[in-house]
Every structure is written in structure tokens, then in C-alpha cells.
């Protein structure tokens, strides 16, 4: 399941392949279609919850409300079914969705929209292994990598604009992914199938906000 | 019939299990008070995060308290609004997911309907409380008088045109330097105070209709404070001002409610009960004033126990059960509603700051 950014999707993985999937690009309204999508996908695959081995969900980063929609639904499903639930990050899901031929011989930077001034980014090497820590940066503070790199994710557009403003968009070895860069539950399912459910024993996956709430402590009162 | 209820619309995360025999089998509430206190009010994003972190564990605890498995439920209810949308979404999604896994009906409950119907769960009379009755709903977010005519049938007789009464307590307490949440702190500060010492207005008193207004009272408190000597407040001054504030609110409540009682009685000659619900119903001074008013007017006074006056999931489970009994359930495509008036036909109250 995914609703962490500008989409909502549910997919069912069985024995090495996706057998049913729903995907809708949308900025709001995920709270309405997420659970019906789960029901549709399971009906199409002809399975009940008792037939599943586990559940997976994106934990963020992304839109705070969106990632909570997916996580609350997934944790509710896990609670009521007793199934193990594991989370993957938005970076991992988007990275997994890039066709291997598109990223051939390149490192990957996944840039995720925060809908604020900053963007969320994390890098992978050319074997799709995590190469640095996820972080929040201003697009104009992005340092062009010194190796051939593919930039993906729904904030790639903003990153490109910031690079254009600095005249760096055509820097040697820099490419931008063709796809919209939205996470897809099909990739979440594939990643979870690959990793297994052992981490579910540590408790339900926690949201990965990557930014504290926007709030400041009130000033001290005059008296 | 057994229903699980979930409440996440403000700063309490709660889960509860109730039955149609008016039994509370499980009841768990986690207050986020300490998370929000440094900010002097509820911070929506902090609230939404805390709801997600704790809700599934609390549901597990409520079900364990009840000694039930999900298969023994007849329905799952969650607050669908009104409230802070980030929190409402967490509760609604969790409830929908449980309903989907177990093939149970889902009921999206109006939070205010939860407050409105709780008295039917808790009324000490063996047959319970029947419709119609008069409801005064007073909390940090609401201040309304409603004729409760049936499940889903609410007619608003009056509402605040600006601040809710609990909000007025919080703001006045903040001005007096009493801290947050202001209601209980102001009530304590007022003990033994001279309620006649400070001249405060009685907004709307004597006016036609049953609407409320509290922003002028808050401004008057600020003005009285500015007239005090400079330097730290004298505790005696604060005590007397708190008592004066409470007396002003009490006078307004009594005036507005007595008008509502007359109107209600004219329309519903069989109705004889005044129910007070919401967090402000915890205020002993206001409760005493309203009890005296009810006695004088020949109304029975009923207020749910304190822990069911503040936000809780028992009331959501109960309202869900009342709706489920009537076959009134919601689809799993229900859209959480940040605004959701109990009486959609009620006119918008006059006043620029009207919220409810």
C-alpha cells in the first residue's frame, strides 16, 4: 500500500509477480479510496486476509497526511488480521520503480516533494544500495554528484529547475528519469517480498517524517 | 450487540467497547496534554502524529479489557468529524481497515453526536433516557443548545457567535497567567474569590434567542488585568477576577438555558430533561448553577460522569451502536469531515467570528 505522496496505490504480490494492482495519481482523497482499493485488489486476486503472509506500506517521507493515511490503514489491517506489517521508505519504493535499463551504470538520487520550500533526498549507488543518509535540503543547495547520476522522484522537476537556475542542468553525467517518480504499491510489495517480515517483530512500522512539526514555542509572557 | 469506538478528533487518543445492554466493556484514553502544554494549546500536527503512534496499541488494550476478539464485534465506529482533520483521518482509516478485515459494518460518528447521546448510555433510570431532551454542549470547541429529538435528529436552538465557552476559559486563564488547560486551573483559582469585585459584561444576556458570545468577556478580562498595578499579579486579584469571570459565564449560561428551556417545552411538552455534556460540564460552579436552574424550571438535570464528559471513545462506540441498531452505517469510502454540523438546517449564527 502507498499513499505517501501524490498517489494512492495497492498491489498484491504472489509468488514472484504482481497479480492485482490499483494506482491513482491524486494529491488528496486517498482516505476515501485506500481501503476500497485494498478490497478490489484482493477480490481481483481471489484472496482473503487469511491467505496473506504479510503486509507492506510506505512510511514516508512525503506528505504528512498522506503517509498517515497509508500507515493508519496498514496498521489497522495488521491489528485486525494478526498479519506482520513492514514499512519501506518512499526513497526505496521510487528507486525500485526505476527501470534497470534507465539507471544502467548510474547512481540514483531520489528527490521527494515536501510541498514546502525544501525537498527530501537520498542517494543510491548503481546497485541500488543506499549510499547516504536521507535528508531535507533546499533545491538550490543540491551538490551535483561527481559520478554519472540519474535523478528521480516527484521533486526531480523542482531540482531540475534549481539546477537550471545555476546553469548546471546539463552537468556531465546528470540525467533526469522519464517517469513521474511517484511510489507504487507494486514496488512496495516487491521490496517487502524480497526482504521478508522479520522486522515486523520489532513492532509496527513508524512514520518517517524527516521533518519535525512546524511549531514554535510561545514567547515568555511579560508578567 | 457490541461496538468498538475510536476517538481521535482532538488531543485524546481513545478506544472503547460498549454493548446495547449499556455496558462499557473496555475504555482506554490516552491524553496528549503533556505534548501540547508547552505550546499553550493543541498543535494539530503534534496531535496527528501522537494519534498514529498510539491508536493501534490502545485498541488492542480496549479489546483485551473487554476480553473480546475482533470477530465478536458487531461494528466499528470512529469519529468522522468535526475536529482536527489529521487526527480524524488516523481514526477513520484504522476503523475502516478493521471493518474491511473482519467484514464488519463501519460507522462514521459525528463527534458532537457522541456527546449528545452519551446520556442515553449513562442515565441511571432503568429504562434509560428517552427522546426528546434538551442538550447543552459546552466544551473547548463548542457551545450549543440542541433539542435532541432522536438519533440523527438534532435541532439547534442556539450556538456561540464567536468563542466556545471552554475556549473563553482557556483564553481568560492564559491572560491571568494560570497556564493550560485553563478551565480546571481557573476554576481552582476562583475558589473563595469575591465574584462581585470586578465588573464584567454578561454578553447576550436578556437578548432574544439562545445564542452565546464570549469574546467580549475575554476582552473585558484583559482590560481589568491592565488596570491592575504593574508587576507580578497579586494572587488575591487573580482569585477575585477568576471568580468574577466564572460568575459572568454562569449568569450567561443560566439566561440562555432558561430561554432554551421555555422554547423546548413549548415544542416538546413531554421533554423534561436537561443534559449537560462536554468538558466544561466538569466545572462544579457552572454545574451547580445549571442544576439550580433545572430544579426551578421543573427539569431533570443529567450530566454523564466526568470522564465521559471530556473526549472519550465510549461515546463514539455508543453513538455508533445507536446508529447501527437503526441500520445506518457508512461506506469504506467515507471522507473525513473537518466541519460537520449536527443540525445542517441551522442558520449560520450572526457574528463575524462564528465557528460552529
Amino acid at each position: 500500500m502507498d499513499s505517501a505522496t501524490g498517489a494512492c496505490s495497492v498491489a498484491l504480490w504472489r509468488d514472484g509477480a504482481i497479480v492485482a494492482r490499483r494506482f491513482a495519481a491524486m494529491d488528496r482523497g486517498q482516505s476515501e479510496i485506500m481501503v476500497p482499493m485494498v478490497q478490489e485488489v484482493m477480490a481481483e486476486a481471489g484472496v482473503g486476509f487469511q491467505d496473506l503472509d504479510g503486509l507492506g506500506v510506505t512510511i514516508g517521507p512525503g506528505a504528512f497526511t498522506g503517509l498517515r493515511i497509508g500507515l493508519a490503514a496498514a496498521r489497522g489491517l495488521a491489528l485486525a488480521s494478526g498479519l506482520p506489517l513492514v514499512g519501506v521508505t518512499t526513497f526505496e519504493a521510487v528507486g525500485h520503480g526505476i527501470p534497470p535499463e534507465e539507471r544502467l551504470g548510474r547512481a540514483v538520487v531520489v528527490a521527494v516533494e515536501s510541498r514546502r520550500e525544501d525537498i527530501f533526498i537520498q542517494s543510491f549507488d548503481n546497485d541500488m544500495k543506499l549510499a547516504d543518509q536521507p535528508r531535507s535540503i533546499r533545491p538550490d543547495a543540491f551538490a551535483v554528484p561527481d559520478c554519472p547520476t540519474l535523478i528521480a522522484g516527484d521533486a526531480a522537476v523542482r531540482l531540475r529547475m534549481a539546477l537550471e537556475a545555476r546553469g548546471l542542468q546539463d552537468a556531465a553525467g546528470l540525467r533526469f528519469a522519464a517517469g513521474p517518480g511517484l511510489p507504487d504499491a507494486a514496488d512496495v510489495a516487491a521490496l517487502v517480498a524480497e526482504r521478508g517480515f522479520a522486522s515486523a517483530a520489532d513492532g509496527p512500522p513508524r512514520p518517517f517524517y524527516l521533518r519535525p512539526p512546524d511549531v514554535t514555542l510561545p514567547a515568555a509572557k511579560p508578567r | 450487540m457490541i461496538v468498538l469506538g475510536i476517538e481521535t478528533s482532538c488531543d485524546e487518543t481513545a478506544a472503547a467497547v460498549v454493548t446495547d445492554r449499556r455496558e462499557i466493556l473496555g475504555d482506554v484514553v490516552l491524553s496528549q496534554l503533556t505534548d501540547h502544554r508547552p505550546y499553550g494549546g493543541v498543535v494539530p500536527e503534534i496531535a496527528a502524529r501522537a494519534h498514529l503512534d498510539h491508536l493501534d496499541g490502545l485498541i488492542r488494550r480496549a479489546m483485551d479489557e473487554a476480553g473480546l476478539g475482533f470477530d465478536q464485534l458487531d461494528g466499528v465506529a470512529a469519529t468522522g468529524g468535526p475536529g482536527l482533520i489529521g487526527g480524524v483521518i488516523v481514526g477513520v482509516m484504522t476503523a475502516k481497515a478493521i471493518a474491511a478485515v473482519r467484514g464488519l459494518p463501519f460507522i462514521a460518528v459525528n463527534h458532537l453526536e457522541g456527546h449528545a447521546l452519551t446520556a442515553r448510555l449513562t442515565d441511571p433510570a432503568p429504562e434509560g433516557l428517552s427522546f426528546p431532551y434538551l442538550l447543552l454542549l459546552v466544551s473547548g470547541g463548542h457551545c450549543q443548545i440542541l433539542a435532541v429529538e432522536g438519533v440523527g435528529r438534532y435541532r439547534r436552538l442556539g450556538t456561540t457567535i464567536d468563542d466556545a465557552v471552554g475556549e473563553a476559559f482557556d483564553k481568560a486563564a492564559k491572560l491571568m497567567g494560570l497556564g493550560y488547560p485553563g478551565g480546571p486551573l481557573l476554576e481552582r483559582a476562583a475558589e473563595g474569590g469575591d465574584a462581585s469585585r470586578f465588573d464584567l459584561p454578561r454578553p447576550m444576556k436578556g437578548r432574544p434567542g439562545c445564542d452565546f458570545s464570549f469574546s467580549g468577556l475575554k476582552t473585558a478580562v484583559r482590560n481589568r488585568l491592565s488596570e491592575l498595578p504593574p508587576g507580578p499579579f497579586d494572587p488575591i486579584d487573580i482569585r477575585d477576577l477568576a471568580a468574577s469571570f466564572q460568575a459572568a459565564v454562569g449568569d450567561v449560561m443560566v439566561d440562555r438555558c432558561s430561554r432554551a428551556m421555555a422554547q423546548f417545552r413549548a415544542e416538546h411538552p413531554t421533554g423534561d430533561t436537561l443534559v449537560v455534556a462536554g468538558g466544561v460540564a466538569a466545572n462544579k460552579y457552572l454545574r451547580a448553577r445549571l442544576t439550580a436552574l433545572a430544579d426551578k424550571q421543573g427539569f431533570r438535570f443529567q450530566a454523564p460522569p466526568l470522564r465521559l464528559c471530556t473526549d472519550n471513545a465510549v461515546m463514539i462506540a455508543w453513538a455508533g451502536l445507536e446508529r447501527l441498531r437503526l441500520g445506518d452505517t457508512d461506506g469504506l469510502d467515507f471522507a473525513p469531515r473537518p466541519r460537520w454540523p449536527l443540525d445542517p438546517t441551522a442558520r449560520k449564527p450572526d457574528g463575524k467570528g462564528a465557528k460552529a
Side-chain angles (χ1 to χ4, degrees):
Chain A
M1 305 160 63
D2 167 76
S3 58
T5 68
C8 186
S9 62
V10 176
L12 198 126
W13 172 277
R14 182 163 56 200
D15 301 333
I18 294 294
V19 294
R21 169 179 174 269
R22 293 286 182 282
F23 180 96
M26 60 196 309
D27 281 331
R28 43 188 73 234
Q30 290 102 328
S31 66
E32 290 146 67
I33 68 164
M34 172 62 89
V35 176
M37 269 186 173
V38 170
Q39 294 180 306
E40 284 172 34
V41 161
M42 292 186 60
E44 188 179 311
V47 300
F49 285 93
Q50 72 282 356
D51 302 315
L52 299 180
D53 294 303
L55 306 160
V57 67
T58 41
I59 57 171
F64 294 166
T65 298
L67 69 90
R68 277 194 288 267
I69 289 169
L71 264 168
R75 286 172 63 157
L77 293 177
L79 174 69
S81 66
L83 289 167
L85 167 67
V86 300
V88 304
T89 69
T90 309
F91 302 118
E92 294 168 327
V94 171
H96 190 273
I98 302 167
E101 59 278 12
E102 190 177 8
R103 59 175 171 78
L104 190 67
R106 290 176 184 280
V108 171
V109 170
V110 175
V112 175
E113 191 51 70
S114 78
R115 306 186 191 186
R116 308 286 175 97
E117 198 181 6
D118 59 340
I119 59 174
F120 303 129
I121 66 166
Q122 188 170 27
S123 309
F124 299 81
D125 65 18
N126 45 18
D127 294 321
M128 286 312 290
K129 299 269 183 290
L130 291 174
D132 62 10
Q133 292 299 310
R135 61 207 182 277
S136 151
I137 64 161
R138 290 165 51 99
D140 57 14
F142 179 70
V144 177
D146 52 11
C147 60
T149 298
L150 180 76
I151 298 178
D154 63 345
V157 178
R158 264 218 289 158
L159 203 47
R160 178 172 208 155
M161 280 161 44
L163 287 167
E164 277 168 4
R166 292 153 67 195
L168 295 172
Q169 73 277 16
D170 296 323
L174 207 54
R175 293 286 178 275
F176 290 86
L182 297 169
D184 186 327
D187 293 298
V188 178
L191 279 164
V192 169
E194 197 176 291
R195 293 174 189 177
F197 294 99
S199 67
D202 305 331
R206 303 281 309 253
F208 181 39
Y209 295 109
L210 202 50
R211 173 158 12 82
D214 287 333
V215 60
T216 47
L217 283 168
K221 281 185 288 293
R223 42 176 174 180
Chain B
M1 186 176 274
I2 305 175
V3 172
L4 167 68
I6 293 169
E7 159 61 31
T8 56
S9 68
C10 192
D11 60 343
E12 262 99 23
T13 316
V17 182
V18 304
T19 76
D20 56 351
R21 296 164 64 188
R22 302 203 285 151
E23 302 157 309
I24 299 169
L25 301 183
D27 175 15
V28 188
V29 182
L30 179 71
S31 170
Q32 303 173 4
L33 189 57
T34 52
D35 299 327
H36 299 288
R37 185 179 279 130
Y39 305 99
V42 178
V43 182
E45 178 61 22
I46 290 176
R49 291 183 179 199
H51 287 306
L52 177 61
D53 288 345
H54 300 296
L55 181 58
D56 52 0
L58 288 176
I59 294 171
R60 165 62 59 208
R61 273 174 52 199
M63 294 295 290
D64 287 348
E65 251 181 38
L68 296 174
F70 289 102
D71 277 339
Q72 287 161 282
L73 297 174
D74 295 288
V76 185
T79 298
L84 300 175
I85 192 67
V88 171
I89 282 176
V90 169
V92 163
M93 295 313 295
T94 305
K96 284 178 176 180
I98 295 168
V101 170
R102 296 289 166 169
L104 295 168
F106 163 69
I107 310 106
V109 170
N110 183 315
H111 177 88
L112 306 176
E113 184 167 40
H115 282 301
L117 297 178
T118 305
R120 283 167 52 79
L121 169 71
T122 62
D123 194 286
E127 68 280 9
L129 172 64
S130 53
F131 301 113
Y133 53 88
L134 186 64
L135 172 74
L136 172 66
L137 176 55
V138 276
S139 69
H142 302 280
C143 184
Q144 308 187 17
I145 307 181
L146 297 141
V148 181
E149 298 169 348
V151 176
R153 288 170 50 211
Y154 310 93
R155 219 158 43 72
R156 199 178 73 198
L157 306 183
T159 185
T160 181
I161 61 170
D162 41 56
D163 293 348
V165 60
E167 195 177 357
F169 268 87
D170 283 346
K171 287 176 175 174
K174 197 171 190 172
L175 290 168
M176 296 180 207
L178 294 172
Y180 173 86
L185 294 168
L186 193 149
E187 182 179 11
R188 202 175 314 144
E191 275 169 29
D194 176 1
S196 62
R197 186 178 143 200
F198 289 95
D199 182 28
L200 294 174
R202 268 64 176 159
M204 307 297 277
K205 190 180 168 189
R207 298 262 289 272
C210 311
D211 284 343
F212 297 87
S213 166
F214 293 106
S215 69
L217 186 53
K218 173 191 67 192
T219 305
V221 167
R222 180 183 289 126
N223 292 341
R224 294 301 91 79
L225 283 168
S226 70
E227 292 153 16
L228 293 174
F233 293 138
D234 180 342
I236 303 294
D237 292 342
I238 294 301
R239 186 194 68 188
D240 292 345
L241 184 58
S244 302
F245 172 85
Q246 229 172 211
V249 173
D251 284 354
V252 170
M253 287 281 163
V254 165
D255 176 74
R256 306 282 83 193
C257 284
S258 63
R259 298 189 71 91
M261 284 167 155
Q263 190 182 334
F264 176 76
R265 189 141 271 169
E267 293 162 5
H268 300 285
T270 59
D272 68 347
T273 305
L274 170 68
V275 172
V276 181
V280 179
N283 183 292
K284 291 190 199 69
Y285 171 80
L286 293 179
R287 219 166 156 128
R289 295 285 306 267
L290 292 165
T291 307
L293 172 70
D295 281 350
K296 192 173 138 203
Q297 305 269 355
F299 271 73
R300 209 160 65 92
F301 179 86
Q302 220 266 59
L306 195 51
R307 73 190 169 85
L308 299 182
C309 277
T310 50
D311 287 352
N312 65 86
V314 169
M315 67 179 192
I316 303 306
W318 175 255
L321 190 147
E322 293 244 39
R323 295 251 323 271
L324 180 61
R325 281 201 290 219
L326 300 172
D328 183 12
T329 63
D330 293 278
L332 297 184
D333 61 350
F334 171 82
R337 297 176 65 173
R339 283 167 186 268
W340 188 356
L342 263 188
D343 178 0
T345 67
R347 75 195 153 68
K348 192 174 179 302
D350 304 327
K352 283 201 174 113
K355 292 169 187 168

